[in-house]
Amino acid sequence: SLPANVDSHQVRVKMKACGLSPLDLKLLVDLGIQRDLIPVGREVAGVVLQVGSLVSSFHPDDEVV
């Protein structure tokens, strides 16, 4: 389970969507990784749930990509 609070520099995001880019897929094929074991890529969209005390660029309820 997740901790109740984030650290001072962290942002907690509720992900709404994520995906793999064509570059991610090409890299996985080149590395010979099975397609049923594909990890989530870095392309994500969601809503900020919580920010740490030193975070100033994001706020709860911000939509982020």
Side-chain angles (χ1 to χ4, degrees), residues 15-56:
M15 289 195 336
K16 299 287 188 166
C18 63
L20 290 170
S21 72
L23 182 57
D24 292 328
L25 292 173
K26 171 88 170 90
L27 179 62
L28 293 171
V29 168
D30 289 349
L31 293 174
I33 296 176
Q34 297 176 28
R35 292 192 69 95
D36 58 340
L37 301 175
I38 295 175
V40 173
R42 294 184 180 187
E43 297 176 6
V44 299
V47 177
V48 174
L49 295 176
Q50 190 178 25
V51 297
S53 60
L54 298 177
V55 175
S56 59

